[in-house]
């Protein structure tokens, strides 16, 4: 079930702005990697290159030894790559169940009973089954975040990419979300999680990677990365909750 991700020398520029400059790292099967960095560090762009939404200017994305760099986003989803977005993007005029079934059918290629079962399972795992018939546009933020995750899970991912899924949630809403992501990791799903709320990352991830200026500043155990002089300098005045991580 787990996926092995390798990112080899990924580079991406928008005009004169370099957002990724030869990024290289790997994520072992079943590992959870947390990614931190200031706004504009290229974190979301990195996820877009991994999922195939954006093409890199150079470098490779390799999954389980297969070079996916020129593969479409749809084909990557069918290989087990799924993503949640920083800002939830539900189909607001569709029900919660219909949103998740769409993920199973069009992302995972599961139709009929198989799609129904995948959608129901994803809703049960994310605690949304009781809201199945509610319009997605009526959901509060926490449930919209859960819906993003449910749609990703309905595709049957082996590699799950999370983009600030905890952002905007209250302190009381964080624990159940952290528990859910920890449970997904325990199931063997490989996770790459971008987040500004560092204590949420350290509760689940095996290691942290810090991005800034298109480069990897540090990569390793959380306590070492957060104490790295370059990381401390980058985060002076940033939105990362350093105190929460201590």
């Amino acid at each position: 079930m787990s996926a092995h991700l390798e990112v080899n020398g990924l580079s991406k520029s928008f005009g004169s702005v370099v957002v990724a400059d030869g990024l290289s790292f790997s994520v072992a099967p079943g590992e959870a990697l947390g990614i931190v960095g200031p706004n504009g560090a290229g974190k979301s762009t990195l996820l877009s290159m991994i999922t195939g939404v954006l093409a890199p200017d150079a470098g490779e994305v390799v999954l389980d030894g297969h070079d996916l760099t020129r593969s479409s986003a749809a084909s990557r989803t069918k290989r087990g790559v799924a993503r949640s977005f920083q800002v939830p993007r539900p189909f607001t005029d569709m029900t919660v169940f219909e949103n998740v079934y769409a993920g199973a059918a069009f992302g995972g290629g599961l139709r009929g009973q198989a799609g129904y079962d995948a959608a129901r399972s994803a809703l049960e795992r994310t605690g949304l089954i009781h809201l199945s018939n509610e319009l997605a546009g009526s959901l509060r933020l926490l449930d919209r975040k859960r819906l993003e995750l449910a749609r990703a899970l309905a595709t049957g991912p082996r590699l799950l990419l999370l983009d600030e899924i905890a952002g905007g949630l209250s302190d009381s809403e964080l624990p159940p979300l952290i528990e859910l992501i920890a449970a997904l990791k325990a199931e063997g799903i490989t996770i790459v999680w971008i987040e500004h709320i560092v204590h949420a990352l350290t509760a689940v991830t095996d290691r942290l990677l810090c991005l800034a200026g298109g480069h990897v500043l540090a990569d390793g155990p959380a306590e070492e990365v957060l104490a790295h002089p370059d990381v401390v300098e980058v985060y002076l005045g940033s939105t990362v909750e350093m105190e929460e991580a201590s």
Side-chain angles (χ1 to χ4, degrees):
M1 180 182 215
S2 301
H4 180 203
L5 173 68
E6 297 173 80
V7 171
N8 300 323
L10 279 191
S11 295
K12 184 69 179 179
S13 298
F14 297 101
S16 62
V17 179
V18 178
V19 292
D21 188 7
L23 294 179
S24 295
F25 62 90
S26 64
V27 189
E31 185 180 21
L33 172 68
I35 298 182
V36 296
N39 291 331
K43 302 184 299 296
S44 294
T45 299
L46 171 62
L47 294 197
S48 293
M49 288 190 286
I50 294 172
T51 57
V53 174
L54 281 178
D57 297 331
E60 297 177 329
V61 175
V62 179
L63 188 73
D64 299 328
H66 299 283
D67 186 350
L68 301 184
T69 312
R70 293 174 178 80
S71 300
S72 68
S75 67
R76 297 186 202 200
T77 301
K78 288 182 171 56
R79 283 187 175 271
V81 180
R83 174 187 181 175
S84 73
F85 288 87
Q86 180 179 351
V87 177
R89 301 178 177 184
F91 300 110
T92 56
D93 293 331
M94 294 169 58
T95 67
V96 168
F97 181 86
E98 288 168 341
N99 267 264
V100 181
Y101 180 83
F106 297 102
L110 302 172
R111 304 297 175 92
Q113 189 64 43
Y116 177 91
D117 291 343
R120 182 175 179 84
S121 174
L123 289 168
E124 289 174 342
R125 292 161 81 188
T126 53
L128 289 176
I129 193 67
H130 66 293
L131 297 176
S132 294
N133 295 322
E134 298 294 324
L135 287 178
S138 70
L139 298 181
R140 57 181 180 145
L141 179 60
L142 174 59
D143 291 333
R144 286 191 178 213
K145 298 270 188 176
R146 286 176 169 166
L147 179 55
E148 275 287 298
L149 185 52
R151 286 199 304 186
L153 292 178
T155 68
R158 297 183 302 113
L159 172 63
L160 181 61
L161 310 172
L162 303 174
D163 194 351
E164 295 191 34
I165 195 168
L169 301 184
S170 67
D171 289 342
S172 63
E173 291 172 327
L174 282 174
L177 183 66
I178 291 171
E179 289 175 10
L180 172 57
I181 297 171
L184 297 175
K185 179 180 182 295
E187 292 176 13
I189 297 175
T190 305
I191 295 172
V192 177
W193 183 4
I194 293 172
E195 193 59 68
H196 280 304
I197 304 173
V198 176
H199 72 91
L201 287 181
T202 57
V204 176
T205 58
D206 299 296
R207 72 183 217 267
L208 292 185
L209 182 150
C210 179
L211 290 182
H215 298 277
V216 175
L217 285 188
D219 182 358
E223 61 274 13
E224 293 180 11
V225 170
L226 295 175
H228 193 287
D230 291 339
V231 175
V232 173
E233 182 178 357
V234 162
Y235 281 129
L236 287 176
S238 79
T239 56
V240 174
E241 299 179 7
M242 297 289 288
E243 294 180 1
E244 293 284 355
S246 62

